[in-house]
């Protein structure tokens, strides 16, 4: 299985840690979004996309990259993110825009992973930041576990 992970990690390098943990399991090529333009997506069986959450959504450049791709019928993708607050089901549905952008292009989303990441945005900066030390070892172990699940072909 040939996999690629395209990510943006602009604030603290939090998402880069998660991207590396997943890439190691999948033996995936790892590209930052700035270097991913021109990547021929058709060459990959699995595409992972992730970033920190900035003002409620994935990185704008990552979203723009996906929106500029041609339609891909049923190619497999997965999403990941790190954020100050937890990804929610009703509020803070941070993965939603990227998920929609991918499904509109015909991708099949086979997994989503989110964890908390250290942030020093105001007003948390005044308190020494939020989620210090995260993603931590247990977050990265969860990311590794998530990636192992992606390797297994889904039944049906
Ligand atoms: C400009 C900016 C906006 C952010 N907006 C949010 C947000 O809306 N919700 C949230 O939970 N975290 C938010 N965060 C925190 C980041 O999502 C968190 O620190 C993340 O782990 C950063 O990932 P990175 O280090 O890979 O860039 C924001 C951080 C920055 C710098």
């Amino acid at each position: 299985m040939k996999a690629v992970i395209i990510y943006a990690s602009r604030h603290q390098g939090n998402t880069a840690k998660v991207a590396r943990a997943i890439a190691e399991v999948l033996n995936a090529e790892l590209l930052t979004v700035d270097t991913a333009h021109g990547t021929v997506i058709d060459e990959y069986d699995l595409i992972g996309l992730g970033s920190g959450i900035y003002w409620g959504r994935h990185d704008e450049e990552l979203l723009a990259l996906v929106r500029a791709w041609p339609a891909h019928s049923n190619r497999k993708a997965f999403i990941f993110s790190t954020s100050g607050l937890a990804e929610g089901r009703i509020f803070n549905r941070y993965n939603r825009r990227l998920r929609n952008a991918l499904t509109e292009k015909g991708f099949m989303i086979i997994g989503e992973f989110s964890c908390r990441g250290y942030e020093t945005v105001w007003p948390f900066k005044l308190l020494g930041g939020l989620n210090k030390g995260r993603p931590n070892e247990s977050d990265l172990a969860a990311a590794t576990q998530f990636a192992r699940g992606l390797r297994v072909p889904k039944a049906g």
Side-chain angles (χ1 to χ4, degrees):
M1 184 185 70
K2 201 173 167 198
V4 65
I5 292 176
I6 302 172
Y7 74 97
S9 185
R10 304 193 189 276
H11 182 42
Q12 298 284 341
N14 297 332
T15 316
K17 292 179 189 164
V18 172
R20 283 195 292 267
I22 298 174
E24 203 175 304
V25 175
L26 298 176
N27 200 15
E29 229 174 284
L30 200 51
L31 300 173
T32 59
V33 67
D34 321 85
T35 59
H37 296 276
T39 303
V40 182
I41 287 308
D42 287 345
E43 287 177 9
Y44 299 93
D45 307 305
L46 180 62
I47 297 119
L49 295 145
S51 77
I53 295 299
Y54 313 111
W55 308 131
R57 60 187 68 179
H58 277 84
D59 178 69
E60 282 299 342
E61 207 180 321
L62 191 69
L63 289 165
L65 181 79
V66 171
R67 287 175 182 144
W69 280 343
H72 291 269
S73 65
N74 278 334
R75 195 160 292 274
K76 287 181 187 158
F78 66 91
I79 291 175
F80 60 100
S81 59
T82 67
S83 51
L85 305 175
E87 163 86 12
R89 292 206 178 148
I90 297 171
F91 300 107
N92 299 345
R93 294 175 61 208
Y94 295 143
N95 287 344
R96 186 167 46 109
R97 276 188 180 76
L98 182 56
R99 184 190 307 128
N100 289 348
L102 283 163
T103 48
E104 274 166 27
K105 293 288 177 181
F107 283 87
M108 191 197 323
I109 301 192
I110 62 164
E112 297 190 24
F113 178 82
S114 302
C115 74
R116 312 286 284 274
Y118 178 52
E119 74 158 290
T120 56
V121 177
W122 192 91
F124 303 115
K125 194 181 169 84
L126 305 174
L127 309 165
L130 182 69
N131 307 324
K132 207 160 191 148
R134 296 190 73 181
N136 55 23
E137 255 179 52
S138 109
D139 294 319
L140 297 178
T144 297
Q145 197 59 35
F146 165 77
R148 288 196 183 119
L150 296 174
R151 274 194 320 205
V152 181
K154 297 266 184 258

